[in-house]
Each structure stands twice: as C-alpha cells, then as structure tokens.
Amino acid sequence: MSQNKLRNRQVLRGLLTEIKSKAKSLNTPIKIMEVCGTHTMAIHRHGLKKLLEDSGIEMVSGPGCPVCITPNEIHEAAINLVTENNNFILTTFGDMTRVPTRKGSIQTIVPAAGSQVKIVYSPEESLEIARKNPEKEIIFFGVGFETTIPSIALTVKIAAEEKISNFSVLSALWLVPPPLNALVSAKDTKIQGFLYPGHVSAIIGEKPYYFIAEKFNIPGAIAGFEPGDILLALSSILDQKKTGKAEVANEYSRVVRADGNPTALRVMDDMLKVKDSLWRGLGLIPKSGLQFKSKYSAFNAEKKHSLKIEGGSGDLPGCRCGEVLPGKISPPQCELFGKKCNPDSPYGPCMVSFEGACLAYYKYQR
Amino acid sequence: MCLGIPAKVIEVDESKHGKIDYLGTKVKTNFYLLEDVKKGDWVIVHAGFAISKLNEEEAKETMDLIREYIDHPET
C-alpha cells in the first residue's frame, strides 16, 4: 500500500500546473478554508501554502484544532481538580498539558499531595492506570472531535462493563459541522470553499456537510493528508466553483466511506447526547458539543466531582488565537507572534498544539 | 489531534484487541470500531483505536488518477 506517488514531485508538479490553470480561469482569487489542523500542518510542511498563493488560492486555517478551541475555563477546571484534590491522577494527551492559562498550564502546576499528571497516547491507557492504582482517583481529560470521540466513549463503556469505580472523564468533545454552519452563516463570510477533514469524515461520512453545498452553494472536498490528496481535493473545489455547482466531493475514498463508520456512530449515539458548547474564538454554538448521557454519570467527572465549568478567566491578554481560529486573521498579524509567543514558550494554545495554525506558521513560514 | 497513521494489522483477538505494525514497531491497538478486521488488513489508527479500514480498490483508483499526472505532467 505505497502512498509514495502522493508525494512524487513530478506528480505534484502536474497537479499544481492544472490547479494553477483552473484557478486562473476563475479570474478572481479564491479563499478556501482547510478545516482540519492536520491539513494546516501538511499544507505548510509540504510548502503548498506559498505555491497555492502564487496560483491565486488563499488557504485559511479553520477551527480544526481541538486543543486550541477548548476554552480556558475547561483547562482551568482540570487544573483545579489536580491541585485541589489529593490522590488524583490527571491523564490527558500531551498537547493539553502545555496550554497556558492565568493559573499556569497543567505541565507547570504543582499537584496536591499524592496527585500526578500523566500523558497518555490512547484513552484506554487511562483505564490501565485506573486498574493499576485502585487507591487513586483517575480523571481523563478527554478532548477531541468526531475522530477521537468514539474512542473516548468506548473507554467509558469498558469502564462501565468492568465496574471500574476510580475512573471518570472530564470531557471536551466537539462536533465539526456546527462551527462550519456558524462560519458560513456569518454575514461577512469570505470562505468560498472547504477542504473537509479526512479522519473526522472517516467517522461521520459525507452527509453532515451536504447543507454547505445545498444551502450555501459553497464547494468542498474531503481530503487525505498527503500533498497529492490535498491537491486532488483542491482541484475538485475549483471545478465546482467553475461550474457553479457545489457538492461534497470525496477525494479520500480509500479511507472515508459515504456513510462514515456506522459502528463508531452507533457508539456515540448510544452513549452521548448533544449540548450547546462554548468554543474559543467562536463563542456559544448550538448543539456543537457532546456530553455523556445520565446513564454514564458515574464516569462524568463534572458530575462525579461536582465541577463547575464556567466563569473561567478567559483568554490571556493580547493572545489573538480566538481570531486565528475562525480565520479572521493569520498568525503573523498577532503582535506576539514569534516574539513573546513561540514554540519554546507558547503564550496561546494555537502555538502549543501540533495542529495549531500559529505553530505551523512559525515552523514553516518565517 | 486527528492525526491518523496507516498501518498493517498483525494481531487481533476475540475481544478486538491486538497490535499493528507501524514502521516496524508493534503498537497495541483496539479494533472494536471496525466491523470486520483481520490480520493483514491495512487500517487507519488514531489514539490507539483503528477507525477505518483502507479500501485497496479505492487506493488503487487514487493511484491511477495520480498516474495520469506522471504520464502527462505538464498538460
């Protein structure tokens, strides 16, 4: 299963030539949002950003970085848990530990007596920690989009089946289609096309994006993460723009099925319910988040530990991550970019995460 | 965060737990989210869970499309 051709220079040159001519025939520059942070990284890493710009295609980063869009009040709730309670182990994905808040970051806080912070690769690892440490209370700070949500839900399902009583999840679970709806519904929207996320779509399929084509007539294509995948998807978006007939093209069909992953969708549906959620930079979006159904309250850290997730201290002063996420500004427009805020000492979450637009710009565009 | 790696299944038991081979490293993986998976399949793995099976026919189609650009790079 070689994917080498999707990186082959000659292939990419051919694709770029075609894209250039298609973009030129539109007679006007086009602004396309790459929704997913992994796409942002790939576009910058492979040098496509500048090449596309020269062809009249402006790529704008979207809100597809879960670490970035999780507002500080949830990060601060996690910090409170592990600093105010003895004998807790807070587990989470690596990037989450570095997000700065007014209380510091999870990495820099001093845990209470007997408490610890542990980085995990898989949600299931947190369960293993719970099994091995029955005298401790394990909180998994679980963040993610539809790609990650089924894995977090399944982990809770296993915990419930095994009756593991020292484990719960502080969840920050985000759905991708609602913020896209919010972005295109805004009066001043300038987005003329969407590069849809590959692995979120592996779970949800094509249908949840149909409204963008049907109601707003904005072209889009689901893309994989090799440079060839991205260029094929952009080529389709330009074709749609040219003909004026918007659709949801699937250019990652080796991984994404039209109806997504039915097993994963069933797990989500069985265990979780939608709620209105507050996004960094995008505000409150109706039905844009998920929470565990009451049947699983014993594994919901908010309920189990009577957490109040509200009234956090907000973004750090001067950080413009909240304007980067909806594509309002590009990272170098922030006064702190590359100065006070850099990968060694990130001031905002978009510089922390490996999917953050600021980090992508810092690494590849300076 | 939505990073997924393509990898080959080298082991899967009845509880849908097993291992993948990623660049020569064996990594523990949960296959519960896949309806039908067996040793030798290629899958996309994200955060310790296999989330999709690679469709070889579709992969071939993408490659065929790509091949056109190799044959006619400047057209």
Side-chain angles (χ1 to χ4, degrees), chain A residues 40-191:
Chain A
T40 301
M41 255 319 165
I43 285 166
H44 284 266
R45 187 172 55 238
H46 297 295
L48 296 178
K49 171 88 178 158
K50 177 81 172 56
L51 290 170
L52 290 166
E53 227 159 63
D54 294 345
S55 307
I57 301 169
E58 186 190 348
M59 296 302 297
V60 196
S61 307
C65 162
V67 175
C68 309
I69 56 95
T70 299
N72 276 2
E73 56 195 50
I74 309 185
H75 291 282
E76 287 175 14
I79 289 174
N80 289 346
L81 266 174
V82 79
T83 51
E84 292 172 7
N85 295 279
N86 297 328
N87 268 358
F88 273 35
I89 298 179
L90 183 80
T91 63
T92 192
F93 299 126
D95 284 355
M96 295 297 281
T97 65
R98 299 182 65 221
V99 173
T101 74
R102 283 176 212 243
K103 288 175 183 278
S105 68
I106 291 174
Q107 195 181 54
T108 58
I109 52 141
V110 180
S115 293
Q116 297 169 50
V117 171
K118 287 192 177 185
I119 291 174
V120 291
Y121 151 71
S122 160
E124 232 185 336
E125 271 179 57
S126 305
L127 265 193
E128 196 50 39
I129 293 170
R131 289 187 195 103
K132 284 184 181 156
N133 297 276
E135 76 293 353
K136 303 264 191 193
E137 183 69 25
I138 309 329
I139 315 279
F140 173 56
F141 186 9
V143 60
F145 290 123
E146 290 92 333
T147 321
T148 323
I149 292 171
S151 314
I152 295 173
L154 256 185
T155 302
V156 166
K157 190 166 182 260
I158 298 168
E161 282 166 5
E162 287 185 28
K163 298 190 170 60
I164 296 178
S165 60
N166 62 331
F167 172 81
S168 64
V169 178
L170 170 58
S171 62
L173 311 178
W174 312 97
L175 301 174
V176 165
L180 301 188
N181 185 37
L183 286 173
V184 295
S185 301
K187 276 191 190 122
D188 57 348
T189 185
K190 294 188 178 70
I191 301 161

Side-chain angles (χ1 to χ4, degrees), chain A residues 124 148 253-255 263 355, chain B residues 1 17 35 46 52 55 58:
Chain A
E124 232 185 336
T148 323
S253 54
R254 67 183 184 278
V255 169
T263 308
E355 303 203 306
Chain B
M1 189 62 72
H17 281 79
E35 207 56 26
H46 167 77
S52 178
N55 179 331
E58 297 283 1

